[in-house]
Amino acid sequence: MQHKTDLSRTLERIDGRPYPAYKDIRGRYDFEFFDLSIDKVQGDPFASPSRLSIIISHQESELPTDLFSNPSRRTGTENYLALAFSRACRQASSHSGSGKSGLISIDTPGQEMLARSCVEIGPSETVVRFSVGLPANGRRIRGRSAKELLIKQLPDIVEDALCYDHLDAQAVAAFADTAEDADTLRSLLAERKLVAFVADGAILPRASGIDERPMPNAVPFQSPESFRQTFELPHAGNVSGMAIPEGVTLIVGGGYHGKSTLLSALERGVYNHRPQDGRERVVARADTTKVRAEDGRSVASVDLTPFIGQLPGGKDSSNFSTENASGSSSQAASIIEALETGAKTLLLDEDISATNLLIRDARMQQLIAKEKEPITPFVQRVRSLYEDCGVSTVIVLGGSGDYFEPADHVIALDNYIPHDLTQEAKALCDGSIIQQKLDPSTIATSPEASKRKADPVSIDPYTSSRGRPGRSRVKTRDARSITFGEDEIDLSLIPQIVDSSQAKAIGSALLYASEQRLFEEHLLPVALQRTLELANTQRLSALGPGDLAQIRLQELAAALNRLRSLRIH
Ligand code: ADP
Ligand code: MG
């Protein structure tokens, strides 16, 4: 390994030379209290910035072991460090020269505390991965500016963001504690036969549709007594709130009374939230999946028969493929695909569902003969889904009383405050909604039970037309889409993708699975599960370079299921 003075000398030597001479600084340098590794050097000042990493031992940073004593605490602490590093970068960053010259940045966590490849705390050291725009004038190297940035400013950033005596000890502990409490709470749901929990005092609404921070002056959550349970958490102590049991739960209430806001909080409850978010103690079982309508999506060989029977034109619904799904068939496919990943709790919201998949009322049944309607609405299957397949549902529906019948629980929101109206709703039932049994042997409710094996050549991350043949191209710019080979995967309507680094992780995971030929050997969801096991056992960075954030099998499968070239054997 070289010393930082070697880096200093190289930068002086290449000062004023054409940009590609920056390649000479690749390598690892000893900065005394940390190591700097220059991993990837950009080709020109306008290209994506260079990738660097800091490796600092816990001995040097004096990071207390208590802050990473289990994976929950570790992820909380990693999020804090990423935020601290990001703050320090913003202060140090100065745009100096052409293109991205002088910019220094790191992947920045949002409200969710996701594991991220940008900060990984290991047993003996912390690795921090970040980006630097190496300074240039036009296309000439500004070696002296680079020296100022890397030799002078960077050690200050490292000291401010990673050395424990420079951190706010209380704030970093709060991140670790909050993460540990949330994971504890989530892990306790199953043994109490609950699917979700919302603590009293939680703030559910967000500042705006584009701002995930808590809404100021919102009405704090308050549980109805009949749903109230108390949990003892390692740090917050006794926490009470609304416990949603397994089974079928209906959320009703007048328009604008907070139904969708509650459901969205449950949907995000699969992730932990940072301190002061308002949803720190709002949790859902880890496999909870929101399913919505998404007309226009593609579907590859999904068995829709639980919800959709004989289609017009003799189209086979047991092996349903389309380039352009309808509202109902897209949502039915999303339900079946979610079950196939092992999801045991489904969330549905009237606002983004296909009405004809959810309900069909008595008058419509009289008008349209049964043989002319391929759809068995969800309301007739939801009980059997629970009783025979063990899958719970939480559904928001303010526009119809049909779900009173199959519901175990009815929660009514009134001015954002929930009330138990189960008795009142049940009193209105007359048995007119006939429940139809599902045959559990025909429905895959785990990856191993899947009937779908992908045709490996249909998952092709390589480009043929552009560049050299055989080069993989997997790119993401934001959380909304992935360029995958010649294809584009639309992620914008997958509800629980919350971060662009998750989209990157999905792209990397698909590329990894394809390169390791996992689709040749395994069923589609099993291949994806194997890929995620790698990220879990070896940390996220094992999936590939770049800024990656933690993903679930549910989102990974949802993305692959939207790949338009996907074919099933
Ligand atoms: P619904 O689905 O019942 O029609 P929404 O959940 O969409 O209602 O909520 C309607 C509006 O009320 C939204 O703008 C939301 O941000 C706001 N809201 C929701 N919960 C609260 C709360 N606890 N305090 C203040 N405003 C809230
Ligand atoms: Mg709504």
Side-chain angles (χ1 to χ4, degrees), residues 61-74:
S61 68
E62 298 185 312
L63 194 69
T65 46
D66 167 60
L67 288 176
F68 54 94
S69 51
N70 60 45
S72 309
R73 297 185 67 72
R74 186 179 69 195

Side-chain angles (χ1 to χ4, degrees), residues 256 258-261 349-351 396:
Y256 226 68
K259 302 184 295 296
S260 296
T261 304
D349 189 335
E350 60 185 347
D351 293 350
V396 165

Side-chain angles (χ1 to χ4, degrees), residues 164-414:
Y164 188 65
D165 61 349
H166 284 245
L167 301 180
D168 177 344
Q170 245 178 330
V172 59
F175 271 66
D177 293 351
T178 301
E180 191 172 27
D181 275 355
D183 279 332
T184 305
L185 194 49
R186 194 175 294 106
S187 72
L188 292 171
L189 293 175
E191 64 191 52
R192 292 204 198 175
K193 295 197 170 304
L194 303 174
V195 294
F197 177 81
V198 185
D200 289 331
I203 300 298
L204 307 188
R206 300 293 96 193
S208 81
I210 52 161
D211 185 347
E212 274 294 303
R213 288 174 299 179
M215 173 190 276
N217 307 318
V219 177
F221 190 82
Q222 205 181 302
S223 57
E225 211 184 315
S226 50
F227 285 95
R228 194 170 300 151
Q229 290 202 23
T230 303
F231 288 88
E232 198 190 328
L233 301 182
H235 306 284
N238 282 334
V239 171
S240 301
M242 181 171 85
I244 301 181
E246 293 175 357
V248 180
T249 302
L250 174 64
I251 298 174
V252 298
Y256 226 68
H257 279 257
K259 302 184 295 296
S260 296
T261 304
L262 172 58
L263 198 77
S264 299
L266 300 182
E267 154 196 346
R268 296 293 178 100
V270 299
Y271 302 123
N272 295 343
H273 290 91
R274 61 150 102 169
Q276 325 283 286
D277 171 83
R279 298 169 296 184
E280 301 94 306
R281 290 184 280 277
V282 179
V283 295
R285 294 261 280 269
D287 57 33
T288 301
T289 306
K290 185 155 180 188
V291 285
R292 60 167 299 165
E294 186 182 341
D295 55 312
R297 64 162 282 197
S298 62
V299 176
S301 300
V302 174
D303 179 359
L304 299 184
T305 46
F307 302 107
I308 301 185
Q310 192 59 50
L311 288 163
K315 204 167 155 62
D316 184 7
S317 66
S318 69
N319 183 14
F320 182 81
S321 299
T322 180
E323 277 291 314
N324 186 7
S326 68
S328 56
S329 58
S330 65
Q331 193 164 15
S334 297
I335 292 171
I336 302 291
E337 290 164 350
L339 298 178
E340 190 187 59
T341 66
K344 293 285 180 282
T345 306
L346 301 178
L347 306 179
L348 286 85
D349 189 335
E350 60 185 347
D351 293 350
I352 48 173
S353 289
T355 310
N356 58 341
L357 185 74
L358 297 189
I359 48 173
R360 185 163 69 251
D361 73 5
R363 262 190 232 165
M364 193 54 82
Q365 288 179 36
Q366 281 175 21
L367 185 70
I368 305 294
K370 202 173 178 315
E371 314 79 67
K372 294 268 163 64
E373 175 53 271
I375 299 176
T376 305
F378 193 71
V379 68
Q380 296 182 354
R381 297 290 204 192
V382 67
R383 272 237 68 78
S384 177
L385 202 53
Y386 175 56
E387 285 166 7
D388 303 314
C389 310
V391 177
S392 298
T393 298
V394 180
I395 179 166
V396 165
L397 195 62
S400 157
D402 282 7
Y403 278 83
F404 293 172
E405 211 97 33
D408 295 298
H409 310 282
V410 179
I411 296 168
L413 286 174
D414 180 3

Side-chain angles (χ1 to χ4, degrees), residues 436-451:
Q436 296 205 15
K437 279 263 173 220
L438 285 164
D439 179 357
S441 69
T442 64
I443 302 179
T445 53
S446 69
E448 296 73 24
S450 168
K451 290 176 273 186

Side-chain angles (χ1 to χ4, degrees), residues 1 16 32 105-106 117 166 169 178 226 234 238-239 321-322 456 459 479 510 568:
M1 192 180 358
E32 274 131 32
S105 65
I106 187 166
S117 62
H166 284 245
T178 301
S226 50
N238 282 334
V239 171
S321 299
T322 180
I459 305 171
L510 294 179
I568 303 294

